[in-house]
Amino acid sequence: VERDVDHEGSRLMLIVIASCISFADTWRPFAALLHKFWRDRPQEWQIHLLTDGDAADALAKGNGWITRDFDFLHAAGDMPSWSKRLHWFLTTQVPKEEVVLMLQDDHFLMGEVNTEAIRAAARLIHRRPDIGSVRFNPCPGPADETAVEQIAGVPLGEVRKGEAYRVSCQVTLWRSSFLARGLACVPE
């Protein structure tokens, strides 16, 4: 059985949930649905909850269960937006070429997760430095239907510069350096 690591023996990917203290009421149902619909998630794919405020405040909102449902809590202080918090996380807490599955706290899973497709997409990003992300909710899909690769029987296409919805934060696998560069351009 192949371990969930890249070709150099590093962790294949990590999972980050972008949130804020104001949305703390979503954390418990999000975690419950994540664990319900993704029972075969490899333990190496650690879950990181990213929020604003301080850790004590976030833990108080979590009422003790938060450390059971998420592997790590990152409280980024008073950064004004989730995009700035995510940029901070990617540039200070994550290795430069790590692959990150980004989820948002209010985008609940409603069905079984295809772990093999995520694993194949993460390996594809590790293998192909020209690929910055793979969307798992391609709505709409790329304008050019020419497949770049196949993952779990699903053809992938390129979303070119200027196409609508080129950037999607809902259920997207990212090369951390690619996402960080994009987030650096977001105004305050």
Side-chain angles (χ1 to χ4, degrees), residues 39-115:
R39 290 188 186 105
D40 65 343
R41 174 187 61 87
Q43 293 304 304
E44 293 94 350
W45 300 359
Q46 298 166 331
I47 302 171
H48 297 254
L49 176 63
L50 176 60
T51 187
D52 59 347
D54 63 30
D57 191 22
L59 287 170
K61 295 280 186 189
N63 199 20
W65 58 265
I66 197 167
T67 54
R68 183 192 72 229
D69 290 335
F70 303 105
D71 297 309
F72 295 96
L73 169 67
H74 303 273
D78 61 357
M79 290 184 196
S81 67
W82 70 263
S83 58
K84 293 299 177 195
R85 289 189 293 276
L86 185 56
H87 183 263
W88 164 82
F89 175 74
L90 293 171
T91 57
T92 65
Q93 308 295 308
V94 177
K96 185 177 178 186
E97 292 305 312
E98 181 79 72
V99 174
V100 174
L101 177 62
M102 186 184 160
L103 305 172
Q104 289 181 304
D105 55 9
D106 60 350
H107 190 83
F108 298 133
L109 294 178
M110 300 302 289
E112 293 298 321
V113 173
N114 185 338
T115 301

Side-chain angles (χ1 to χ4, degrees), residues 134-188:
V134 174
R135 294 189 312 198
F136 286 97
N137 190 20
C139 185
D144 180 2
E145 294 293 324
T146 307
V148 173
E149 291 267 349
Q150 291 249 345
I151 290 184
V154 177
L156 297 181
E158 180 179 356
V159 180
R160 292 195 170 85
K161 190 174 185 174
E163 285 185 39
Y165 302 102
R166 183 171 190 224
V167 174
S168 174
C169 295
Q170 301 291 5
V171 195
T172 302
L173 202 56
W174 294 90
R175 179 182 308 280
S176 61
S177 59
F178 182 80
L179 180 55
R181 278 194 312 274
L183 291 170
C185 300
V186 175
E188 286 293 328

